[in-house]
Structure formats: structure tokens, C-alpha cells
Amino acid sequence: MPRHPDPFRAIDRQPDPGQFVQSLEARGRTRSQTRLRRHFLKFVRVKPGSRVLEVGCGTGVVCRDLAQMVGPRGRVVGVDPSRTLIQAARRLAREHGLDRRVRFVAGDGARLRFRDGTFDGALAVTVLLHVSNPQAIVMEMIRVTSPGGVVGVQDQDWGTQALDHPDRALTRRLFEGYTQKIYNDPWSGRTLFGMLRRLGLQHVRLITDVYQDTRLDPWTWSTLERRAAGAVKLGVVSEREARRWLSAIKAQAEAGAFVFTVNFYGAVGLKPT
Ligand SMILES: C[S@@+](CC[C@H](N)C(=O)[O-])C[C@H]1O[C@@H](n2cnc3c(N)ncnc32)[C@H](O)[C@@H]1O
């Protein structure tokens, strides 16, 4: 079977899985990402002493924040199919002195190996966009959450990305062509609220936040570079067009006029009692 073009579907089968450890940690440190991740976790209302699951935990950026929020009496479990990411997550939690509160387990979010009602809350942050059946994962998250517990999902919505670029036609073609080929639903972020309601959660709330970069942060630059390279590989733009597109972005940043934004949608609901 040909490999799916979205590397996040199978990190361990990529030529350099370690690169994703660096990239997820770099993203986690980005100022705008830190702000919107913590804003979402506050919106979820994670309580001290609670037991929380994060599905698709990657290197544990969100789990480490959760471990601080649940405090010494709470417990956090991160699940991810990638063994490379799970190993990195364990090491990083140890380095941050949080390994007594957070545990990492390799596994698929659509087949969680936990009993019904094990957790007070279950979250998935920037995961559902990457999977073939997001609903199956959310159903599992609901199953392992106790009645009255909280289920929360947050994702970027690539239909909302905006870049100030002198060649708007090329920017639109590159962004739309690339995201349509790589994701099941590039506009998935805005669908999360409706999904939680359809799956029977109660008191579903939505938070909309924006990733904003005006300095061409190294993480934004590597994302745009990967996007351009991916668009060439997928036949969306030519190599020459991709080079021209990236040079104009650099020039824009050097002129102090770089602007890139993308909306993040977070939906949170309660499991009926
Ligand atoms: C963009 S990363 C997000 C990581 C982390 N939540 C964060 O915000 O830093 C997406 C993660 O989803 C994981 N993933 C992919 N397929 C999955 C599945 N079927 N079940 C659970 N996680 C999955 C990937 O391995 C990757 O770690």
C-alpha cells in the first residue's frame, strides 16, 4: 500500500522520526502556541487531583502542562502510536521532574486499552486532523471518561490560514492544493463543536483562538518550508514556484511585514451522568 502523505499518520515509518521530536518541541515552545494551548487547557477546567488522558500526546508537550495542572495528587496518561515519540516523551517528563505524575503508553487512540470510566477527563490536541477516523477516537475518549467527566478536542483549521504574500494566487493554490491532498478534511477544526454534540456530550462549549506570527518564528518557517516541499512532491506547484514563494516570504520578513495566522478551534463537553 502506498504510504499516506501525512507523516503524522506513521511517524516511526518516516526516514527521520527524530526530526518530529524536534519539531513538536519547537512548536510547543513557540510563544503563540504556548498561549493558545494553555488558554484551551484553562477552558477545559482541568481540576487538581484529577486523572486525565491525552490521546496523540506526541512528545508530551500538553501532558507536561497537564501534570502541572493536576498537581501531585493527580495523574496524567499520554497515548501515542509512535514509539519514537513515546520514548522522547518519557525522557522529557523525567528531565522536567514530572515523571511521577505522568505516564506514557504506546497505542492507537481508536483502540484504547483502558476500562470504561477510567479517567476524569480525556483530551486530544492537534490529533484528529491527522487520523482517518476522528469520530472513532472521540468515541473511545468518551468511553474511558467517567460519567460527568470532560472530553476536549482542539485542532487547527487549515481553511483559515492567512499569509500576507505578494503572490496571492500562488499562495492560495499552494495552501489549498497541499492541505486537500494531505488531510481528510483540512477544515476539520470548525467541525469539532458539532461532532461532540452529535456524539451526545452535554454543555458543549467552543473556544476559537489564533496562532499568530509576525516575526517568522523558526517553527513557522520550517512549517512553510515543509509545506512548499510537500506541494512540489504532490504536484501542486513546480520547484521554481516553491522557491519563488519561499524567497518572497523571507523578503517580507526582512522588511518587517511578515504576517501568518491560523485559527485553532477547541470544543469541550461533559459525558452524561
Ligand atoms: C501534531 S502531533 C500532536 C502532538 C501533541 N498532542 C502536541 O500537541 O504536541 C499529532 C500526534 O497524533 C499522533 N497520532 C497519529 N495517529 C494517531 C492515532 N491513531 N491515535 C492516537 N494518536 C495518533 C501522532 O503520532 C502525533 O504524535
Side-chain angles (χ1 to χ4, degrees), residues 100-137:
R100 290 166 81 97
R101 291 184 209 172
V102 55
R103 188 162 70 83
F104 294 97
V105 183
D108 178 357
R111 281 188 297 271
L112 292 171
R113 279 180 264 143
F114 302 106
R115 293 210 182 101
D116 297 5
T118 303
F119 298 97
D120 302 307
L123 306 179
V125 175
T126 63
V127 173
L128 298 183
L129 172 74
H130 298 288
V131 302
S132 60
N133 188 352
Q135 189 161 308
I137 292 195

PDB file of all heavy atoms in Angstrom, residues 100-137:
ATOM      1  N   ARG A 100       6.665  11.309  37.948  1.00  0.00           N
ATOM      2  CA  ARG A 100       5.807  10.618  38.934  1.00  0.00           C
ATOM      3  C   ARG A 100       4.335  10.877  38.664  1.00  0.00           C
ATOM      4  O   ARG A 100       3.472  10.139  39.113  1.00  0.00           O
ATOM      5  CB  ARG A 100       6.163  11.072  40.353  1.00  0.00           C
ATOM      6  CG  ARG A 100       7.531  10.556  40.773  1.00  0.00           C
ATOM      7  CD  ARG A 100       7.995  11.289  42.009  1.00  0.00           C
ATOM      8  NE  ARG A 100       7.381  10.729  43.187  1.00  0.00           N
ATOM      9  CZ  ARG A 100       7.960   9.835  43.969  1.00  0.00           C
ATOM     10  NH1 ARG A 100       9.155   9.401  43.667  1.00  0.00           N
ATOM     11  NH2 ARG A 100       7.358   9.383  45.027  1.00  0.00           N
ATOM     12  N   ARG A 101       4.047  11.956  37.935  1.00  0.00           N
ATOM     13  CA  ARG A 101       2.640  12.309  37.683  1.00  0.00           C
ATOM     14  C   ARG A 101       2.162  11.902  36.301  1.00  0.00           C
ATOM     15  O   ARG A 101       0.975  11.909  36.030  1.00  0.00           O
ATOM     16  CB  ARG A 101       2.481  13.830  37.745  1.00  0.00           C
ATOM     17  CG  ARG A 101       2.664  14.379  39.103  1.00  0.00           C
ATOM     18  CD  ARG A 101       2.388  15.874  39.052  1.00  0.00           C
ATOM     19  NE  ARG A 101       3.162  16.534  40.073  1.00  0.00           N
ATOM     20  CZ  ARG A 101       3.265  17.836  40.210  1.00  0.00           C
ATOM     21  NH1 ARG A 101       2.630  18.636  39.382  1.00  0.00           N
ATOM     22  NH2 ARG A 101       3.982  18.356  41.176  1.00  0.00           N
ATOM     23  N   VAL A 102       3.117  11.661  35.389  1.00  0.00           N
ATOM     24  CA  VAL A 102       2.700  11.404  34.006  1.00  0.00           C
ATOM     25  C   VAL A 102       3.339  10.113  33.483  1.00  0.00           C
ATOM     26  O   VAL A 102       4.510   9.841  33.712  1.00  0.00           O
ATOM     27  CB  VAL A 102       2.983  12.641  33.106  1.00  0.00           C
ATOM     28  CG1 VAL A 102       4.407  13.092  33.162  1.00  0.00           C
ATOM     29  CG2 VAL A 102       2.580  12.395  31.671  1.00  0.00           C
ATOM     30  N   ARG A 103       2.495   9.352  32.774  1.00  0.00           N
ATOM     31  CA  ARG A 103       2.932   8.041  32.269  1.00  0.00           C
ATOM     32  C   ARG A 103       2.608   8.019  30.781  1.00  0.00           C
ATOM     33  O   ARG A 103       1.584   8.588  30.366  1.00  0.00           O
ATOM     34  CB  ARG A 103       2.090   6.997  33.005  1.00  0.00           C
ATOM     35  CG  ARG A 103       2.448   5.575  32.823  1.00  0.00           C
ATOM     36  CD  ARG A 103       1.819   4.751  33.955  1.00  0.00           C
ATOM     37  NE  ARG A 103       0.361   4.643  33.862  1.00  0.00           N
ATOM     38  CZ  ARG A 103      -0.287   3.769  33.111  1.00  0.00           C
ATOM     39  NH1 ARG A 103       0.370   2.927  32.337  1.00  0.00           N
ATOM     40  NH2 ARG A 103      -1.609   3.723  33.120  1.00  0.00           N
ATOM     41  N   PHE A 104       3.459   7.370  29.989  1.00  0.00           N
ATOM     42  CA  PHE A 104       3.227   7.341  28.544  1.00  0.00           C
ATOM     43  C   PHE A 104       3.091   5.893  28.065  1.00  0.00           C
ATOM     44  O   PHE A 104       3.869   5.031  28.470  1.00  0.00           O
ATOM     45  CB  PHE A 104       4.370   8.041  27.810  1.00  0.00           C
ATOM     46  CG  PHE A 104       4.423   9.520  28.108  1.00  0.00           C
ATOM     47  CD1 PHE A 104       5.284  10.021  29.077  1.00  0.00           C
ATOM     48  CD2 PHE A 104       3.589  10.407  27.443  1.00  0.00           C
ATOM     49  CE1 PHE A 104       5.318  11.373  29.376  1.00  0.00           C
ATOM     50  CE2 PHE A 104       3.607  11.775  27.733  1.00  0.00           C
ATOM     51  CZ  PHE A 104       4.477  12.253  28.705  1.00  0.00           C
ATOM     52  N   VAL A 105       2.089   5.667  27.212  1.00  0.00           N
ATOM     53  CA  VAL A 105       1.794   4.309  26.749  1.00  0.00           C
ATOM     54  C   VAL A 105       1.686   4.341  25.216  1.00  0.00           C
ATOM     55  O   VAL A 105       1.029   5.228  24.663  1.00  0.00           O
ATOM     56  CB  VAL A 105       0.423   3.843  27.321  1.00  0.00           C
ATOM     57  CG1 VAL A 105       0.123   2.422  26.916  1.00  0.00           C
ATOM     58  CG2 VAL A 105       0.373   4.008  28.831  1.00  0.00           C
ATOM     59  N   ALA A 106       2.307   3.357  24.550  1.00  0.00           N
ATOM     60  CA  ALA A 106       2.180   3.286  23.086  1.00  0.00           C
ATOM     61  C   ALA A 106       0.833   2.664  22.736  1.00  0.00           C
ATOM     62  O   ALA A 106       0.429   1.670  23.356  1.00  0.00           O
ATOM     63  CB  ALA A 106       3.321   2.446  22.519  1.00  0.00           C
ATOM     64  N   GLY A 107       0.121   3.241  21.789  1.00  0.00           N
ATOM     65  CA  GLY A 107      -1.168   2.662  21.395  1.00  0.00           C
ATOM     66  C   GLY A 107      -1.923   3.555  20.430  1.00  0.00           C
ATOM     67  O   GLY A 107      -1.559   4.714  20.204  1.00  0.00           O
ATOM     68  N   ASP A 108      -2.990   2.977  19.883  1.00  0.00           N
ATOM     69  CA  ASP A 108      -3.832   3.664  18.903  1.00  0.00           C
ATOM     70  C   ASP A 108      -5.026   4.287  19.639  1.00  0.00           C
ATOM     71  O   ASP A 108      -5.691   3.603  20.430  1.00  0.00           O
ATOM     72  CB  ASP A 108      -4.299   2.591  17.892  1.00  0.00           C
ATOM     73  CG  ASP A 108      -5.232   3.157  16.829  1.00  0.00           C
ATOM     74  OD1 ASP A 108      -5.578   4.354  16.890  1.00  0.00           O
ATOM     75  OD2 ASP A 108      -5.619   2.375  15.937  1.00  0.00           O
ATOM     76  N   GLY A 109      -5.288   5.566  19.353  1.00  0.00           N
ATOM     77  CA  GLY A 109      -6.393   6.264  20.007  1.00  0.00           C
ATOM     78  C   GLY A 109      -7.761   5.667  19.706  1.00  0.00           C
ATOM     79  O   GLY A 109      -8.715   5.878  20.462  1.00  0.00           O
ATOM     80  N   ALA A 110      -7.863   4.920  18.622  1.00  0.00           N
ATOM     81  CA  ALA A 110      -9.158   4.323  18.266  1.00  0.00           C
ATOM     82  C   ALA A 110      -9.385   2.991  18.978  1.00  0.00           C
ATOM     83  O   ALA A 110     -10.465   2.387  18.865  1.00  0.00           O
ATOM     84  CB  ALA A 110      -9.241   4.125  16.752  1.00  0.00           C
ATOM     85  N   ARG A 111      -8.343   2.491  19.702  1.00  0.00           N
ATOM     86  CA  ARG A 111      -8.472   1.217  20.445  1.00  0.00           C
ATOM     87  C   ARG A 111      -7.721   1.365  21.765  1.00  0.00           C
ATOM     88  O   ARG A 111      -6.638   0.811  21.950  1.00  0.00           O
ATOM     89  CB  ARG A 111      -7.873   0.064  19.635  1.00  0.00           C
ATOM     90  CG  ARG A 111      -8.791  -0.429  18.526  1.00  0.00           C
ATOM     91  CD  ARG A 111      -8.237  -1.684  17.874  1.00  0.00           C
ATOM     92  NE  ARG A 111      -6.963  -1.419  17.243  1.00  0.00           N
ATOM     93  CZ  ARG A 111      -6.823  -1.009  15.991  1.00  0.00           C
ATOM     94  NH1 ARG A 111      -7.880  -0.837  15.222  1.00  0.00           N
ATOM     95  NH2 ARG A 111      -5.631  -0.776  15.478  1.00  0.00           N
ATOM     96  N   LEU A 112      -8.314   2.138  22.674  1.00  0.00           N
ATOM     97  CA  LEU A 112      -7.620   2.425  23.934  1.00  0.00           C
ATOM     98  C   LEU A 112      -7.695   1.229  24.868  1.00  0.00           C
ATOM     99  O   LEU A 112      -8.769   0.622  25.009  1.00  0.00           O
ATOM    100  CB  LEU A 112      -8.259   3.657  24.595  1.00  0.00           C
ATOM    101  CG  LEU A 112      -8.049   4.979  23.848  1.00  0.00           C
ATOM    102  CD1 LEU A 112      -8.897   6.083  24.459  1.00  0.00           C
ATOM    103  CD2 LEU A 112      -6.573   5.375  23.833  1.00  0.00           C
ATOM    104  N   ARG A 113      -6.560   0.916  25.491  1.00  0.00           N
ATOM    105  CA  ARG A 113      -6.556  -0.241  26.389  1.00  0.00           C
ATOM    106  C   ARG A 113      -6.803   0.191  27.840  1.00  0.00           C
ATOM    107  O   ARG A 113      -5.979  -0.014  28.710  1.00  0.00           O
ATOM    108  CB  ARG A 113      -5.242  -1.016  26.215  1.00  0.00           C
ATOM    109  CG  ARG A 113      -5.341  -1.913  24.986  1.00  0.00           C
ATOM    110  CD  ARG A 113      -4.093  -2.697  24.741  1.00  0.00           C
ATOM    111  NE  ARG A 113      -3.251  -2.027  23.763  1.00  0.00           N
ATOM    112  CZ  ARG A 113      -1.934  -1.992  23.819  1.00  0.00           C
ATOM    113  NH1 ARG A 113      -1.295  -2.561  24.817  1.00  0.00           N
ATOM    114  NH2 ARG A 113      -1.240  -1.377  22.900  1.00  0.00           N
ATOM    115  N   PHE A 114      -7.936   0.855  28.063  1.00  0.00           N
ATOM    116  CA  PHE A 114      -8.340   1.267  29.415  1.00  0.00           C
ATOM    117  C   PHE A 114      -9.800   0.870  29.596  1.00  0.00           C
ATOM    118  O   PHE A 114     -10.574   0.867  28.622  1.00  0.00           O
ATOM    119  CB  PHE A 114      -8.201   2.787  29.598  1.00  0.00           C
ATOM    120  CG  PHE A 114      -6.818   3.306  29.356  1.00  0.00           C
ATOM    121  CD1 PHE A 114      -6.520   4.011  28.200  1.00  0.00           C
ATOM    122  CD2 PHE A 114      -5.800   3.068  30.282  1.00  0.00           C
ATOM    123  CE1 PHE A 114      -5.234   4.469  27.963  1.00  0.00           C
ATOM    124  CE2 PHE A 114      -4.508   3.528  30.045  1.00  0.00           C
ATOM    125  CZ  PHE A 114      -4.221   4.229  28.888  1.00  0.00           C
ATOM    126  N   ARG A 115     -10.168   0.608  30.853  1.00  0.00           N
ATOM    127  CA  ARG A 115     -11.563   0.251  31.145  1.00  0.00           C
ATOM    128  C   ARG A 115     -12.461   1.464  31.009  1.00  0.00           C
ATOM    129  O   ARG A 115     -11.990   2.611  31.128  1.00  0.00           O
ATOM    130  CB  ARG A 115     -11.674  -0.254  32.582  1.00  0.00           C
ATOM    131  CG  ARG A 115     -10.965  -1.550  32.778  1.00  0.00           C
ATOM    132  CD  ARG A 115     -11.654  -2.387  33.872  1.00  0.00           C
ATOM    133  NE  ARG A 115     -10.907  -3.590  34.052  1.00  0.00           N
ATOM    134  CZ  ARG A 115     -10.048  -3.768  35.057  1.00  0.00           C
ATOM    135  NH1 ARG A 115      -9.901  -2.855  35.993  1.00  0.00           N
ATOM    136  NH2 ARG A 115      -9.366  -4.886  35.145  1.00  0.00           N
ATOM    137  N   ASP A 116     -13.760   1.245  30.844  1.00  0.00           N
ATOM    138  CA  ASP A 116     -14.750   2.331  30.787  1.00  0.00           C
ATOM    139  C   ASP A 116     -14.599   3.193  32.039  1.00  0.00           C
ATOM    140  O   ASP A 116     -14.427   2.655  33.152  1.00  0.00           O
ATOM    141  CB  ASP A 116     -16.183   1.773  30.794  1.00  0.00           C
ATOM    142  CG  ASP A 116     -16.472   0.902  29.564  1.00  0.00           C
ATOM    143  OD1 ASP A 116     -15.550   0.666  28.771  1.00  0.00           O
ATOM    144  OD2 ASP A 116     -17.632   0.482  29.427  1.00  0.00           O
ATOM    145  N   GLY A 117     -14.667   4.494  31.857  1.00  0.00           N
ATOM    146  CA  GLY A 117     -14.709   5.407  33.001  1.00  0.00           C
ATOM    147  C   GLY A 117     -13.434   5.502  33.813  1.00  0.00           C
ATOM    148  O   GLY A 117     -13.471   5.866  34.989  1.00  0.00           O
ATOM    149  N   THR A 118     -12.272   5.188  33.212  1.00  0.00           N
ATOM    150  CA  THR A 118     -11.004   5.232  33.965  1.00  0.00           C
ATOM    151  C   THR A 118     -10.584   6.665  34.330  1.00  0.00           C
ATOM    152  O   THR A 118      -9.936   6.879  35.341  1.00  0.00           O
ATOM    153  CB  THR A 118      -9.868   4.589  33.114  1.00  0.00           C
ATOM    154  OG1 THR A 118     -10.264   3.261  32.772  1.00  0.00           O
ATOM    155  CG2 THR A 118      -8.536   4.553  33.829  1.00  0.00           C
ATOM    156  N   PHE A 119     -10.940   7.637  33.478  1.00  0.00           N
ATOM    157  CA  PHE A 119     -10.392   9.000  33.642  1.00  0.00           C
ATOM    158  C   PHE A 119     -11.483  10.022  33.975  1.00  0.00           C
ATOM    159  O   PHE A 119     -12.653   9.838  33.623  1.00  0.00           O
ATOM    160  CB  PHE A 119      -9.687   9.424  32.340  1.00  0.00           C
ATOM    161  CG  PHE A 119      -8.518   8.551  31.999  1.00  0.00           C
ATOM    162  CD1 PHE A 119      -8.662   7.489  31.097  1.00  0.00           C
ATOM    163  CD2 PHE A 119      -7.281   8.751  32.589  1.00  0.00           C
ATOM    164  CE1 PHE A 119      -7.594   6.662  30.788  1.00  0.00           C
ATOM    165  CE2 PHE A 119      -6.202   7.926  32.288  1.00  0.00           C
ATOM    166  CZ  PHE A 119      -6.356   6.883  31.388  1.00  0.00           C
ATOM    167  N   ASP A 120     -11.054  11.124  34.600  1.00  0.00           N
ATOM    168  CA  ASP A 120     -11.978  12.243  34.844  1.00  0.00           C
ATOM    169  C   ASP A 120     -12.064  13.123  33.604  1.00  0.00           C
ATOM    170  O   ASP A 120     -12.976  13.953  33.494  1.00  0.00           O
ATOM    171  CB  ASP A 120     -11.467  13.111  36.016  1.00  0.00           C
ATOM    172  CG  ASP A 120     -11.310  12.282  37.276  1.00  0.00           C
ATOM    173  OD1 ASP A 120     -12.285  11.614  37.649  1.00  0.00           O
ATOM    174  OD2 ASP A 120     -10.205  12.278  37.863  1.00  0.00           O
ATOM    175  N   GLY A 121     -11.094  12.988  32.716  1.00  0.00           N
ATOM    176  CA  GLY A 121     -11.114  13.800  31.505  1.00  0.00           C
ATOM    177  C   GLY A 121     -10.245  13.178  30.432  1.00  0.00           C
ATOM    178  O   GLY A 121      -9.279  12.466  30.752  1.00  0.00           O
ATOM    179  N   ALA A 122     -10.597  13.418  29.154  1.00  0.00           N
ATOM    180  CA  ALA A 122      -9.783  12.921  28.040  1.00  0.00           C
ATOM    181  C   ALA A 122      -9.675  14.033  26.999  1.00  0.00           C
ATOM    182  O   ALA A 122     -10.679  14.654  26.641  1.00  0.00           O
ATOM    183  CB  ALA A 122     -10.425  11.675  27.421  1.00  0.00           C
ATOM    184  N   LEU A 123      -8.450  14.253  26.524  1.00  0.00           N
ATOM    185  CA  LEU A 123      -8.205  15.346  25.577  1.00  0.00           C
ATOM    186  C   LEU A 123      -7.441  14.841  24.355  1.00  0.00           C
ATOM    187  O   LEU A 123      -6.699  13.858  24.449  1.00  0.00           O
ATOM    188  CB  LEU A 123      -7.348  16.439  26.236  1.00  0.00           C
ATOM    189  CG  LEU A 123      -7.835  17.028  27.555  1.00  0.00           C
ATOM    190  CD1 LEU A 123      -6.841  18.069  28.053  1.00  0.00           C
ATOM    191  CD2 LEU A 123      -9.202  17.671  27.377  1.00  0.00           C
ATOM    192  N   ALA A 124      -7.620  15.541  23.244  1.00  0.00           N
ATOM    193  CA  ALA A 124      -6.794  15.292  22.050  1.00  0.00           C
ATOM    194  C   ALA A 124      -6.497  16.659  21.445  1.00  0.00           C
ATOM    195  O   ALA A 124      -7.419  17.395  21.095  1.00  0.00           O
ATOM    196  CB  ALA A 124      -7.528  14.404  21.050  1.00  0.00           C
ATOM    197  N   VAL A 125      -5.210  16.981  21.341  1.00  0.00           N
ATOM    198  CA  VAL A 125      -4.804  18.313  20.871  1.00  0.00           C
ATOM    199  C   VAL A 125      -4.016  18.171  19.570  1.00  0.00           C
ATOM    200  O   VAL A 125      -2.964  17.532  19.544  1.00  0.00           O
ATOM    201  CB  VAL A 125      -3.955  19.017  21.966  1.00  0.00           C
ATOM    202  CG1 VAL A 125      -3.422  20.354  21.468  1.00  0.00           C
ATOM    203  CG2 VAL A 125      -4.788  19.225  23.233  1.00  0.00           C
ATOM    204  N   THR A 126      -4.541  18.736  18.522  1.00  0.00           N
ATOM    205  CA  THR A 126      -3.978  18.676  17.160  1.00  0.00           C
ATOM    206  C   THR A 126      -3.677  17.231  16.722  1.00  0.00           C
ATOM    207  O   THR A 126      -2.590  16.935  16.248  1.00  0.00           O
ATOM    208  CB  THR A 126      -2.725  19.584  16.991  1.00  0.00           C
ATOM    209  OG1 THR A 126      -1.680  19.135  17.865  1.00  0.00           O
ATOM    210  CG2 THR A 126      -3.034  21.034  17.279  1.00  0.00           C
ATOM    211  N   VAL A 127      -4.667  16.394  16.897  1.00  0.00           N
ATOM    212  CA  VAL A 127      -4.540  14.978  16.542  1.00  0.00           C
ATOM    213  C   VAL A 127      -5.605  14.580  15.513  1.00  0.00           C
ATOM    214  O   VAL A 127      -5.301  13.918  14.512  1.00  0.00           O
ATOM    215  CB  VAL A 127      -4.703  14.097  17.810  1.00  0.00           C
ATOM    216  CG1 VAL A 127      -4.757  12.620  17.459  1.00  0.00           C
ATOM    217  CG2 VAL A 127      -3.564  14.363  18.787  1.00  0.00           C
ATOM    218  N   LEU A 128      -6.845  14.984  15.742  1.00  0.00           N
ATOM    219  CA  LEU A 128      -7.962  14.469  14.926  1.00  0.00           C
ATOM    220  C   LEU A 128      -7.797  14.813  13.452  1.00  0.00           C
ATOM    221  O   LEU A 128      -8.200  14.045  12.568  1.00  0.00           O
ATOM    222  CB  LEU A 128      -9.296  14.994  15.462  1.00  0.00           C
ATOM    223  CG  LEU A 128      -9.618  14.560  16.899  1.00  0.00           C
ATOM    224  CD1 LEU A 128     -10.977  15.068  17.321  1.00  0.00           C
ATOM    225  CD2 LEU A 128      -9.555  13.035  17.053  1.00  0.00           C
ATOM    226  N   LEU A 129      -7.156  15.940  13.174  1.00  0.00           N
ATOM    227  CA  LEU A 129      -6.906  16.361  11.796  1.00  0.00           C
ATOM    228  C   LEU A 129      -6.097  15.309  11.024  1.00  0.00           C
ATOM    229  O   LEU A 129      -6.241  15.154   9.818  1.00  0.00           O
ATOM    230  CB  LEU A 129      -6.102  17.680  11.861  1.00  0.00           C
ATOM    231  CG  LEU A 129      -5.533  18.249  10.588  1.00  0.00           C
ATOM    232  CD1 LEU A 129      -6.646  18.857   9.746  1.00  0.00           C
ATOM    233  CD2 LEU A 129      -4.492  19.319  10.895  1.00  0.00           C
ATOM    234  N   HIS A 130      -5.261  14.580  11.775  1.00  0.00           N
ATOM    235  CA  HIS A 130      -4.312  13.674  11.124  1.00  0.00           C
ATOM    236  C   HIS A 130      -4.835  12.247  10.937  1.00  0.00           C
ATOM    237  O   HIS A 130      -4.159  11.452  10.304  1.00  0.00           O
ATOM    238  CB  HIS A 130      -3.021  13.593  11.957  1.00  0.00           C
ATOM    239  CG  HIS A 130      -2.314  14.912  12.068  1.00  0.00           C
ATOM    240  ND1 HIS A 130      -1.643  15.484  11.012  1.00  0.00           N
ATOM    241  CD2 HIS A 130      -2.195  15.783  13.101  1.00  0.00           C
ATOM    242  CE1 HIS A 130      -1.124  16.643  11.393  1.00  0.00           C
ATOM    243  NE2 HIS A 130      -1.455  16.842  12.655  1.00  0.00           N
ATOM    244  N   VAL A 131      -5.962  11.896  11.533  1.00  0.00           N
ATOM    245  CA  VAL A 131      -6.347  10.479  11.540  1.00  0.00           C
ATOM    246  C   VAL A 131      -7.446  10.185  10.521  1.00  0.00           C
ATOM    247  O   VAL A 131      -8.162  11.091  10.094  1.00  0.00           O
ATOM    248  CB  VAL A 131      -6.774  10.013  12.959  1.00  0.00           C
ATOM    249  CG1 VAL A 131      -5.647  10.243  13.948  1.00  0.00           C
ATOM    250  CG2 VAL A 131      -8.042  10.703  13.416  1.00  0.00           C
ATOM    251  N   SER A 132      -7.576   8.900  10.158  1.00  0.00           N
ATOM    252  CA  SER A 132      -8.555   8.553   9.120  1.00  0.00           C
ATOM    253  C   SER A 132      -9.984   8.565   9.673  1.00  0.00           C
ATOM    254  O   SER A 132     -10.925   8.827   8.947  1.00  0.00           O
ATOM    255  CB  SER A 132      -8.221   7.191   8.517  1.00  0.00           C
ATOM    256  OG  SER A 132      -8.259   6.224   9.540  1.00  0.00           O
ATOM    257  N   ASN A 133     -10.146   8.260  10.970  1.00  0.00           N
ATOM    258  CA  ASN A 133     -11.494   8.212  11.533  1.00  0.00           C
ATOM    259  C   ASN A 133     -11.542   8.943  12.881  1.00  0.00           C
ATOM    260  O   ASN A 133     -11.501   8.310  13.946  1.00  0.00           O
ATOM    261  CB  ASN A 133     -11.921   6.744  11.681  1.00  0.00           C
ATOM    262  CG  ASN A 133     -13.377   6.624  12.079  1.00  0.00           C
ATOM    263  OD1 ASN A 133     -14.039   7.634  12.384  1.00  0.00           O
ATOM    264  ND2 ASN A 133     -13.886   5.405  12.093  1.00  0.00           N
ATOM    265  N   PRO A 134     -11.625  10.280  12.834  1.00  0.00           N
ATOM    266  CA  PRO A 134     -11.571  11.051  14.090  1.00  0.00           C
ATOM    267  C   PRO A 134     -12.696  10.670  15.050  1.00  0.00           C
ATOM    268  O   PRO A 134     -12.499  10.622  16.272  1.00  0.00           O
ATOM    269  CB  PRO A 134     -11.724  12.511  13.641  1.00  0.00           C
ATOM    270  CG  PRO A 134     -11.929  12.516  12.178  1.00  0.00           C
ATOM    271  CD  PRO A 134     -11.727  11.137  11.650  1.00  0.00           C
ATOM    272  N   GLN A 135     -13.862  10.341  14.488  1.00  0.00           N
ATOM    273  CA  GLN A 135     -15.008  10.016  15.363  1.00  0.00           C
ATOM    274  C   GLN A 135     -14.731   8.772  16.221  1.00  0.00           C
ATOM    275  O   GLN A 135     -15.115   8.704  17.379  1.00  0.00           O
ATOM    276  CB  GLN A 135     -16.243   9.816  14.496  1.00  0.00           C
ATOM    277  CG  GLN A 135     -17.489   9.706  15.319  1.00  0.00           C
ATOM    278  CD  GLN A 135     -18.734   9.969  14.494  1.00  0.00           C
ATOM    279  OE1 GLN A 135     -18.836  10.970  13.808  1.00  0.00           O
ATOM    280  NE2 GLN A 135     -19.676   9.038  14.550  1.00  0.00           N
ATOM    281  N   ALA A 136     -14.024   7.791  15.636  1.00  0.00           N
ATOM    282  CA  ALA A 136     -13.718   6.556  16.390  1.00  0.00           C
ATOM    283  C   ALA A 136     -12.860   6.898  17.609  1.00  0.00           C
ATOM    284  O   ALA A 136     -13.024   6.316  18.692  1.00  0.00           O
ATOM    285  CB  ALA A 136     -12.992   5.567  15.490  1.00  0.00           C
ATOM    286  N   ILE A 137     -11.939   7.848  17.451  1.00  0.00           N
ATOM    287  CA  ILE A 137     -11.066   8.243  18.565  1.00  0.00           C
ATOM    288  C   ILE A 137     -11.883   8.965  19.628  1.00  0.00           C
ATOM    289  O   ILE A 137     -11.763   8.669  20.828  1.00  0.00           O
ATOM    290  CB  ILE A 137      -9.892   9.111  18.054  1.00  0.00           C
ATOM    291  CG1 ILE A 137      -8.979   8.223  17.191  1.00  0.00           C
ATOM    292  CG2 ILE A 137      -9.138   9.776  19.212  1.00  0.00           C
ATOM    293  CD1 ILE A 137      -7.632   8.763  16.882  1.00  0.00           C
TER     294      ILE A 137
END
